[in-house]
Amino acid sequence: MTTAVSQNRAGQDQDSIKGFDRDGIAGVSKGLFKVLETARKVAKSDSSVLITGESGTGKELIARAIHRNSGRCNGPMVIINCGAIPSELLESELFGHERGAFTGAHRSRIGRFEIADQGTIFLDEIGDMSPDLQVKLLRAIQERQFERVGGSQTISVDIRVISATNKDLVAAIKQGAFREDLYYRLNVIPIHILPLRERREDIFPLADYFQNNLLRRTTDYQIKKFSDQARQALEQYEWPGNIRELENMVERISVLVEEIDIQVHDLPECIINDSSHSTSPSVSCVFNKGIGFNEAVDLYQRSLIAHALNESGWVKARAAQMLKMNRTTLVEKLKKMNITPEMDAPIF
Ligand SMILES: Nc1ncnc2c1ncn2[C@@H]1O[C@H](COP(=O)(O)OP(=O)(O)OP(=O)(O)O)[C@@H](O)[C@H]1O
Ligand SMILES: [Mg+2]
């Protein structure tokens, strides 16, 4: 991408979130800007938002930003982790209870829905909620009304609902584990946050951001620099723990590595190992490095074949089976592409 084009794109991205306070949210990728743009638009409304994305991608961070940028910002933001509270206690946590409602309920208590009045309630890990409670939640969201456990008085609240999950709710609906009607109520505005491996342009801006945070917290902290090889390893790593994992890595390195320059061997074992037999090309790397379509497809084929061969200990029949390919086709490709056991998987 030429500098002029990328500058133009960056300008357009900035414009799309004009007026939105993105404090604490680092990153430059198109995927992130799409999330921020939707967050900006939705912040002005009271519509329910469902944020999906793998663990550690920033779902809570985005939920907080929506609240902060909304007309409800002076009201409370109440967070409840539906997966962390046993289902028999969750109902009373959400809706409160009256005295004597159950054993141990010595006094009445208000729930999170009431606390969130005039503000936002963030229902985290919504996919873990029991079917029984899903029915009650549906009514509370639909009518903004509910009763405390053991109570008969109907309570009304004025709240905005944001929920989040790292589960595939559509699959859960098919399995009968999640109510379809509740899903549509929650998912008025969907926001999906991409995993870090699908927006690798964010890796270094995030690493810089976390280092700057450390600099603010620790007066004698010196900003570290990643060597070219270390950068390559970080770019290729799959980041299964997403941004949380990157944040932890930066902090770990800041404590354990005393030199300013970070070498590959300073990185956590899993990153070093992952980069030494990287198998999947990333779309962003293809664009960033100006690799053309044909070359990228060729490299990807090589990666798949090399991976299958390594996994099968170079037993071609087995590798062909893994690739769901004829053995003869595989042998032809090996010859044509000049793939040998000594060859490393291509590195993007
Ligand atoms: N774009 C970002 N810029 C800066 N920090 C980020 C960004 N995205 C996530 N983080 C940080 O990464 C960590 C994980 O984020 P968060 O808790 O919002 O993720 P999550 O998707 O809710 O994870 P989980 O599914 O495990 O609950 C937090 O410390 C958060 O501040
Ligand atoms: Mg979370």
Side-chain angles (χ1 to χ4, degrees), residues 173-199:
I173 291 170
K174 283 193 189 129
Q175 289 157 7
F178 203 82
R179 290 184 65 100
E180 194 169 7
D181 44 12
L182 177 59
Y183 174 73
Y184 289 118
R185 265 294 153 193
L186 297 173
N187 194 29
V188 178
I189 312 284
I191 293 186
H192 180 65
I193 310 184
L194 291 174
L196 190 53
R197 66 181 171 281
E198 288 177 29
R199 47 179 172 117

PDB file of all heavy atoms in Angstrom, residues 173-199:
ATOM      1  N   ILE A 173     -28.136 -22.129  20.003  1.00  0.00           N
ATOM      2  CA  ILE A 173     -29.587 -22.148  19.730  1.00  0.00           C
ATOM      3  C   ILE A 173     -29.938 -23.477  19.063  1.00  0.00           C
ATOM      4  O   ILE A 173     -30.896 -24.155  19.443  1.00  0.00           O
ATOM      5  CB  ILE A 173     -29.991 -20.961  18.812  1.00  0.00           C
ATOM      6  CG1 ILE A 173     -29.841 -19.643  19.575  1.00  0.00           C
ATOM      7  CG2 ILE A 173     -31.415 -21.129  18.292  1.00  0.00           C
ATOM      8  CD1 ILE A 173     -29.966 -18.399  18.715  1.00  0.00           C
ATOM      9  N   LYS A 174     -29.114 -23.874  18.093  1.00  0.00           N
ATOM     10  CA  LYS A 174     -29.380 -25.139  17.378  1.00  0.00           C
ATOM     11  C   LYS A 174     -29.343 -26.322  18.336  1.00  0.00           C
ATOM     12  O   LYS A 174     -30.089 -27.273  18.193  1.00  0.00           O
ATOM     13  CB  LYS A 174     -28.347 -25.325  16.270  1.00  0.00           C
ATOM     14  CG  LYS A 174     -28.650 -24.443  15.079  1.00  0.00           C
ATOM     15  CD  LYS A 174     -27.835 -24.830  13.857  1.00  0.00           C
ATOM     16  CE  LYS A 174     -28.015 -23.764  12.778  1.00  0.00           C
ATOM     17  NZ  LYS A 174     -26.743 -23.276  12.251  1.00  0.00           N
ATOM     18  N   GLN A 175     -28.465 -26.225  19.336  1.00  0.00           N
ATOM     19  CA  GLN A 175     -28.359 -27.333  20.309  1.00  0.00           C
ATOM     20  C   GLN A 175     -29.427 -27.231  21.394  1.00  0.00           C
ATOM     21  O   GLN A 175     -29.454 -28.043  22.313  1.00  0.00           O
ATOM     22  CB  GLN A 175     -26.989 -27.316  20.976  1.00  0.00           C
ATOM     23  CG  GLN A 175     -25.860 -27.720  20.051  1.00  0.00           C
ATOM     24  CD  GLN A 175     -24.509 -27.175  20.528  1.00  0.00           C
ATOM     25  OE1 GLN A 175     -24.405 -26.605  21.618  1.00  0.00           O
ATOM     26  NE2 GLN A 175     -23.495 -27.327  19.701  1.00  0.00           N
ATOM     27  N   GLY A 176     -30.237 -26.207  21.350  1.00  0.00           N
ATOM     28  CA  GLY A 176     -31.286 -26.037  22.354  1.00  0.00           C
ATOM     29  C   GLY A 176     -30.774 -25.467  23.668  1.00  0.00           C
ATOM     30  O   GLY A 176     -31.466 -25.513  24.688  1.00  0.00           O
ATOM     31  N   ALA A 177     -29.561 -24.949  23.687  1.00  0.00           N
ATOM     32  CA  ALA A 177     -28.992 -24.431  24.938  1.00  0.00           C
ATOM     33  C   ALA A 177     -29.228 -22.934  25.114  1.00  0.00           C
ATOM     34  O   ALA A 177     -29.055 -22.397  26.204  1.00  0.00           O
ATOM     35  CB  ALA A 177     -27.498 -24.725  24.980  1.00  0.00           C
ATOM     36  N   PHE A 178     -29.606 -22.246  24.038  1.00  0.00           N
ATOM     37  CA  PHE A 178     -29.859 -20.803  24.159  1.00  0.00           C
ATOM     38  C   PHE A 178     -31.149 -20.452  23.424  1.00  0.00           C
ATOM     39  O   PHE A 178     -31.410 -20.942  22.322  1.00  0.00           O
ATOM     40  CB  PHE A 178     -28.686 -19.997  23.581  1.00  0.00           C
ATOM     41  CG  PHE A 178     -28.615 -18.603  24.141  1.00  0.00           C
ATOM     42  CD1 PHE A 178     -28.024 -18.362  25.372  1.00  0.00           C
ATOM     43  CD2 PHE A 178     -29.191 -17.529  23.463  1.00  0.00           C
ATOM     44  CE1 PHE A 178     -27.994 -17.088  25.921  1.00  0.00           C
ATOM     45  CE2 PHE A 178     -29.163 -16.249  23.998  1.00  0.00           C
ATOM     46  CZ  PHE A 178     -28.557 -16.030  25.232  1.00  0.00           C
ATOM     47  N   ARG A 179     -31.957 -19.613  24.062  1.00  0.00           N
ATOM     48  CA  ARG A 179     -33.277 -19.279  23.481  1.00  0.00           C
ATOM     49  C   ARG A 179     -33.122 -18.328  22.299  1.00  0.00           C
ATOM     50  O   ARG A 179     -32.447 -17.299  22.414  1.00  0.00           O
ATOM     51  CB  ARG A 179     -34.143 -18.594  24.533  1.00  0.00           C
ATOM     52  CG  ARG A 179     -34.598 -19.478  25.652  1.00  0.00           C
ATOM     53  CD  ARG A 179     -35.509 -18.678  26.548  1.00  0.00           C
ATOM     54  NE  ARG A 179     -36.723 -18.314  25.825  1.00  0.00           N
ATOM     55  CZ  ARG A 179     -37.870 -18.962  25.955  1.00  0.00           C
ATOM     56  NH1 ARG A 179     -37.957 -19.992  26.782  1.00  0.00           N
ATOM     57  NH2 ARG A 179     -38.928 -18.585  25.280  1.00  0.00           N
ATOM     58  N   GLU A 180     -33.813 -18.674  21.231  1.00  0.00           N
ATOM     59  CA  GLU A 180     -33.712 -17.859  20.023  1.00  0.00           C
ATOM     60  C   GLU A 180     -34.323 -16.469  20.242  1.00  0.00           C
ATOM     61  O   GLU A 180     -33.766 -15.452  19.818  1.00  0.00           O
ATOM     62  CB  GLU A 180     -34.438 -18.583  18.886  1.00  0.00           C
ATOM     63  CG  GLU A 180     -34.123 -18.005  17.533  1.00  0.00           C
ATOM     64  CD  GLU A 180     -34.630 -18.892  16.399  1.00  0.00           C
ATOM     65  OE1 GLU A 180     -35.334 -19.889  16.675  1.00  0.00           O
ATOM     66  OE2 GLU A 180     -34.322 -18.563  15.238  1.00  0.00           O
ATOM     67  N   ASP A 181     -35.461 -16.424  20.965  1.00  0.00           N
ATOM     68  CA  ASP A 181     -36.122 -15.121  21.175  1.00  0.00           C
ATOM     69  C   ASP A 181     -35.226 -14.188  21.991  1.00  0.00           C
ATOM     70  O   ASP A 181     -35.128 -12.992  21.718  1.00  0.00           O
ATOM     71  CB  ASP A 181     -37.515 -15.275  21.812  1.00  0.00           C
ATOM     72  CG  ASP A 181     -37.569 -16.277  22.954  1.00  0.00           C
ATOM     73  OD1 ASP A 181     -36.484 -16.700  23.421  1.00  0.00           O
ATOM     74  OD2 ASP A 181     -38.675 -16.623  23.396  1.00  0.00           O
ATOM     75  N   LEU A 182     -34.533 -14.751  22.971  1.00  0.00           N
ATOM     76  CA  LEU A 182     -33.625 -13.923  23.785  1.00  0.00           C
ATOM     77  C   LEU A 182     -32.455 -13.427  22.926  1.00  0.00           C
ATOM     78  O   LEU A 182     -32.030 -12.271  23.012  1.00  0.00           O
ATOM     79  CB  LEU A 182     -33.104 -14.729  24.992  1.00  0.00           C
ATOM     80  CG  LEU A 182     -32.089 -14.020  25.873  1.00  0.00           C
ATOM     81  CD1 LEU A 182     -32.651 -12.726  26.460  1.00  0.00           C
ATOM     82  CD2 LEU A 182     -31.611 -14.928  27.014  1.00  0.00           C
ATOM     83  N   TYR A 183     -31.977 -14.322  22.066  1.00  0.00           N
ATOM     84  CA  TYR A 183     -30.863 -13.960  21.185  1.00  0.00           C
ATOM     85  C   TYR A 183     -31.223 -12.727  20.347  1.00  0.00           C
ATOM     86  O   TYR A 183     -30.442 -11.776  20.244  1.00  0.00           O
ATOM     87  CB  TYR A 183     -30.524 -15.155  20.283  1.00  0.00           C
ATOM     88  CG  TYR A 183     -29.489 -14.856  19.231  1.00  0.00           C
ATOM     89  CD1 TYR A 183     -28.151 -14.706  19.570  1.00  0.00           C
ATOM     90  CD2 TYR A 183     -29.854 -14.723  17.889  1.00  0.00           C
ATOM     91  CE1 TYR A 183     -27.193 -14.427  18.608  1.00  0.00           C
ATOM     92  CE2 TYR A 183     -28.905 -14.452  16.916  1.00  0.00           C
ATOM     93  CZ  TYR A 183     -27.575 -14.297  17.280  1.00  0.00           C
ATOM     94  OH  TYR A 183     -26.641 -14.023  16.326  1.00  0.00           O
ATOM     95  N   TYR A 184     -32.411 -12.735  19.760  1.00  0.00           N
ATOM     96  CA  TYR A 184     -32.793 -11.592  18.920  1.00  0.00           C
ATOM     97  C   TYR A 184     -32.983 -10.318  19.732  1.00  0.00           C
ATOM     98  O   TYR A 184     -32.692  -9.228  19.270  1.00  0.00           O
ATOM     99  CB  TYR A 184     -34.035 -11.920  18.081  1.00  0.00           C
ATOM    100  CG  TYR A 184     -33.682 -12.905  16.991  1.00  0.00           C
ATOM    101  CD1 TYR A 184     -34.267 -14.168  16.931  1.00  0.00           C
ATOM    102  CD2 TYR A 184     -32.715 -12.582  16.044  1.00  0.00           C
ATOM    103  CE1 TYR A 184     -33.903 -15.076  15.954  1.00  0.00           C
ATOM    104  CE2 TYR A 184     -32.339 -13.485  15.064  1.00  0.00           C
ATOM    105  CZ  TYR A 184     -32.932 -14.736  15.019  1.00  0.00           C
ATOM    106  OH  TYR A 184     -32.551 -15.625  14.060  1.00  0.00           O
ATOM    107  N   ARG A 185     -33.433 -10.470  20.964  1.00  0.00           N
ATOM    108  CA  ARG A 185     -33.575  -9.305  21.849  1.00  0.00           C
ATOM    109  C   ARG A 185     -32.214  -8.684  22.175  1.00  0.00           C
ATOM    110  O   ARG A 185     -32.054  -7.473  22.220  1.00  0.00           O
ATOM    111  CB  ARG A 185     -34.175  -9.748  23.184  1.00  0.00           C
ATOM    112  CG  ARG A 185     -35.622  -9.618  23.309  1.00  0.00           C
ATOM    113  CD  ARG A 185     -36.094  -8.198  23.289  1.00  0.00           C
ATOM    114  NE  ARG A 185     -37.438  -8.236  22.774  1.00  0.00           N
ATOM    115  CZ  ARG A 185     -38.142  -7.208  22.366  1.00  0.00           C
ATOM    116  NH1 ARG A 185     -37.618  -6.009  22.387  1.00  0.00           N
ATOM    117  NH2 ARG A 185     -39.352  -7.357  21.919  1.00  0.00           N
ATOM    118  N   LEU A 186     -31.251  -9.549  22.434  1.00  0.00           N
ATOM    119  CA  LEU A 186     -29.920  -9.067  22.843  1.00  0.00           C
ATOM    120  C   LEU A 186     -29.122  -8.550  21.653  1.00  0.00           C
ATOM    121  O   LEU A 186     -28.316  -7.629  21.778  1.00  0.00           O
ATOM    122  CB  LEU A 186     -29.118 -10.200  23.497  1.00  0.00           C
ATOM    123  CG  LEU A 186     -29.665 -10.795  24.790  1.00  0.00           C
ATOM    124  CD1 LEU A 186     -28.848 -12.011  25.192  1.00  0.00           C
ATOM    125  CD2 LEU A 186     -29.641  -9.755  25.906  1.00  0.00           C
ATOM    126  N   ASN A 187     -29.365  -9.173  20.509  1.00  0.00           N
ATOM    127  CA  ASN A 187     -28.497  -8.953  19.352  1.00  0.00           C
ATOM    128  C   ASN A 187     -29.060  -7.905  18.390  1.00  0.00           C
ATOM    129  O   ASN A 187     -28.960  -8.063  17.187  1.00  0.00           O
ATOM    130  CB  ASN A 187     -28.308 -10.297  18.625  1.00  0.00           C
ATOM    131  CG  ASN A 187     -27.186 -10.254  17.623  1.00  0.00           C
ATOM    132  OD1 ASN A 187     -26.230  -9.497  17.802  1.00  0.00           O
ATOM    133  ND2 ASN A 187     -27.286 -11.023  16.564  1.00  0.00           N
ATOM    134  N   VAL A 188     -29.630  -6.836  18.927  1.00  0.00           N
ATOM    135  CA  VAL A 188     -30.182  -5.806  18.032  1.00  0.00           C
ATOM    136  C   VAL A 188     -29.024  -5.188  17.245  1.00  0.00           C
ATOM    137  O   VAL A 188     -29.067  -5.049  16.035  1.00  0.00           O
ATOM    138  CB  VAL A 188     -30.945  -4.731  18.842  1.00  0.00           C
ATOM    139  CG1 VAL A 188     -31.482  -3.645  17.913  1.00  0.00           C
ATOM    140  CG2 VAL A 188     -32.075  -5.378  19.635  1.00  0.00           C
ATOM    141  N   ILE A 189     -27.961  -4.827  17.951  1.00  0.00           N
ATOM    142  CA  ILE A 189     -26.760  -4.319  17.290  1.00  0.00           C
ATOM    143  C   ILE A 189     -25.613  -5.288  17.590  1.00  0.00           C
ATOM    144  O   ILE A 189     -25.112  -5.344  18.715  1.00  0.00           O
ATOM    145  CB  ILE A 189     -26.360  -2.918  17.818  1.00  0.00           C
ATOM    146  CG1 ILE A 189     -27.552  -1.958  17.858  1.00  0.00           C
ATOM    147  CG2 ILE A 189     -25.183  -2.361  17.011  1.00  0.00           C
ATOM    148  CD1 ILE A 189     -27.996  -1.391  16.545  1.00  0.00           C
ATOM    149  N   PRO A 190     -25.208  -6.069  16.618  1.00  0.00           N
ATOM    150  CA  PRO A 190     -24.078  -6.978  16.856  1.00  0.00           C
ATOM    151  C   PRO A 190     -22.744  -6.265  16.662  1.00  0.00           C
ATOM    152  O   PRO A 190     -22.601  -5.470  15.743  1.00  0.00           O
ATOM    153  CB  PRO A 190     -24.259  -8.061  15.790  1.00  0.00           C
ATOM    154  CG  PRO A 190     -25.132  -7.464  14.739  1.00  0.00           C
ATOM    155  CD  PRO A 190     -25.807  -6.239  15.284  1.00  0.00           C
ATOM    156  N   ILE A 191     -21.815  -6.544  17.547  1.00  0.00           N
ATOM    157  CA  ILE A 191     -20.443  -6.049  17.357  1.00  0.00           C
ATOM    158  C   ILE A 191     -19.523  -7.260  17.495  1.00  0.00           C
ATOM    159  O   ILE A 191     -19.510  -7.913  18.538  1.00  0.00           O
ATOM    160  CB  ILE A 191     -20.064  -4.990  18.418  1.00  0.00           C
ATOM    161  CG1 ILE A 191     -20.908  -3.725  18.220  1.00  0.00           C
ATOM    162  CG2 ILE A 191     -18.567  -4.649  18.336  1.00  0.00           C
ATOM    163  CD1 ILE A 191     -20.512  -2.557  19.120  1.00  0.00           C
ATOM    164  N   HIS A 192     -18.796  -7.556  16.440  1.00  0.00           N
ATOM    165  CA  HIS A 192     -17.871  -8.687  16.529  1.00  0.00           C
ATOM    166  C   HIS A 192     -16.443  -8.161  16.550  1.00  0.00           C
ATOM    167  O   HIS A 192     -16.053  -7.382  15.685  1.00  0.00           O
ATOM    168  CB  HIS A 192     -18.074  -9.647  15.353  1.00  0.00           C
ATOM    169  CG  HIS A 192     -17.140 -10.812  15.416  1.00  0.00           C
ATOM    170  ND1 HIS A 192     -17.189 -11.755  16.427  1.00  0.00           N
ATOM    171  CD2 HIS A 192     -16.088 -11.152  14.638  1.00  0.00           C
ATOM    172  CE1 HIS A 192     -16.220 -12.629  16.246  1.00  0.00           C
ATOM    173  NE2 HIS A 192     -15.532 -12.293  15.176  1.00  0.00           N
ATOM    174  N   ILE A 193     -15.677  -8.588  17.540  1.00  0.00           N
ATOM    175  CA  ILE A 193     -14.281  -8.155  17.625  1.00  0.00           C
ATOM    176  C   ILE A 193     -13.397  -9.282  17.094  1.00  0.00           C
ATOM    177  O   ILE A 193     -13.474 -10.423  17.573  1.00  0.00           O
ATOM    178  CB  ILE A 193     -13.889  -7.808  19.076  1.00  0.00           C
ATOM    179  CG1 ILE A 193     -14.932  -6.851  19.685  1.00  0.00           C
ATOM    180  CG2 ILE A 193     -12.501  -7.186  19.112  1.00  0.00           C
ATOM    181  CD1 ILE A 193     -14.600  -6.369  21.073  1.00  0.00           C
ATOM    182  N   LEU A 194     -12.588  -8.945  16.117  1.00  0.00           N
ATOM    183  CA  LEU A 194     -11.737  -9.970  15.497  1.00  0.00           C
ATOM    184  C   LEU A 194     -10.641 -10.416  16.451  1.00  0.00           C
ATOM    185  O   LEU A 194     -10.137  -9.618  17.250  1.00  0.00           O
ATOM    186  CB  LEU A 194     -11.071  -9.398  14.236  1.00  0.00           C
ATOM    187  CG  LEU A 194     -11.966  -9.116  13.037  1.00  0.00           C
ATOM    188  CD1 LEU A 194     -11.154  -8.425  11.946  1.00  0.00           C
ATOM    189  CD2 LEU A 194     -12.593 -10.398  12.512  1.00  0.00           C
ATOM    190  N   PRO A 195     -10.234 -11.693  16.354  1.00  0.00           N
ATOM    191  CA  PRO A 195      -9.067 -12.112  17.133  1.00  0.00           C
ATOM    192  C   PRO A 195      -7.825 -11.367  16.633  1.00  0.00           C
ATOM    193  O   PRO A 195      -7.792 -10.921  15.478  1.00  0.00           O
ATOM    194  CB  PRO A 195      -8.961 -13.610  16.857  1.00  0.00           C
ATOM    195  CG  PRO A 195      -9.722 -13.843  15.597  1.00  0.00           C
ATOM    196  CD  PRO A 195     -10.768 -12.774  15.523  1.00  0.00           C
ATOM    197  N   LEU A 196      -6.821 -11.285  17.490  1.00  0.00           N
ATOM    198  CA  LEU A 196      -5.618 -10.518  17.133  1.00  0.00           C
ATOM    199  C   LEU A 196      -4.929 -11.087  15.891  1.00  0.00           C
ATOM    200  O   LEU A 196      -4.379 -10.341  15.079  1.00  0.00           O
ATOM    201  CB  LEU A 196      -4.660 -10.501  18.334  1.00  0.00           C
ATOM    202  CG  LEU A 196      -3.470  -9.568  18.250  1.00  0.00           C
ATOM    203  CD1 LEU A 196      -3.883  -8.142  17.934  1.00  0.00           C
ATOM    204  CD2 LEU A 196      -2.676  -9.612  19.554  1.00  0.00           C
ATOM    205  N   ARG A 197      -4.991 -12.405  15.705  1.00  0.00           N
ATOM    206  CA  ARG A 197      -4.305 -13.005  14.537  1.00  0.00           C
ATOM    207  C   ARG A 197      -4.946 -12.573  13.222  1.00  0.00           C
ATOM    208  O   ARG A 197      -4.375 -12.738  12.161  1.00  0.00           O
ATOM    209  CB  ARG A 197      -4.279 -14.528  14.656  1.00  0.00           C
ATOM    210  CG  ARG A 197      -5.624 -15.181  14.582  1.00  0.00           C
ATOM    211  CD  ARG A 197      -5.581 -16.689  14.719  1.00  0.00           C
ATOM    212  NE  ARG A 197      -6.941 -17.185  14.836  1.00  0.00           N
ATOM    213  CZ  ARG A 197      -7.658 -17.158  15.945  1.00  0.00           C
ATOM    214  NH1 ARG A 197      -7.127 -16.696  17.060  1.00  0.00           N
ATOM    215  NH2 ARG A 197      -8.894 -17.595  15.967  1.00  0.00           N
ATOM    216  N   GLU A 198      -6.168 -12.026  13.280  1.00  0.00           N
ATOM    217  CA  GLU A 198      -6.801 -11.539  12.052  1.00  0.00           C
ATOM    218  C   GLU A 198      -6.691 -10.022  11.901  1.00  0.00           C
ATOM    219  O   GLU A 198      -7.313  -9.424  11.036  1.00  0.00           O
ATOM    220  CB  GLU A 198      -8.267 -11.979  12.005  1.00  0.00           C
ATOM    221  CG  GLU A 198      -8.397 -13.465  11.729  1.00  0.00           C
ATOM    222  CD  GLU A 198      -9.824 -13.963  11.738  1.00  0.00           C
ATOM    223  OE1 GLU A 198     -10.740 -13.198  11.418  1.00  0.00           O
ATOM    224  OE2 GLU A 198     -10.003 -15.147  12.102  1.00  0.00           O
ATOM    225  N   ARG A 199      -5.942  -9.408  12.788  1.00  0.00           N
ATOM    226  CA  ARG A 199      -5.669  -7.958  12.648  1.00  0.00           C
ATOM    227  C   ARG A 199      -4.269  -7.689  13.202  1.00  0.00           C
ATOM    228  O   ARG A 199      -4.083  -6.982  14.184  1.00  0.00           O
ATOM    229  CB  ARG A 199      -6.731  -7.123  13.358  1.00  0.00           C
ATOM    230  CG  ARG A 199      -7.073  -7.571  14.760  1.00  0.00           C
ATOM    231  CD  ARG A 199      -8.130  -6.657  15.369  1.00  0.00           C
ATOM    232  NE  ARG A 199      -8.628  -7.146  16.623  1.00  0.00           N
ATOM    233  CZ  ARG A 199      -8.486  -6.523  17.772  1.00  0.00           C
ATOM    234  NH1 ARG A 199      -7.855  -5.388  17.844  1.00  0.00           N
ATOM    235  NH2 ARG A 199      -8.992  -7.027  18.872  1.00  0.00           N
TER     236      ARG A 199
END
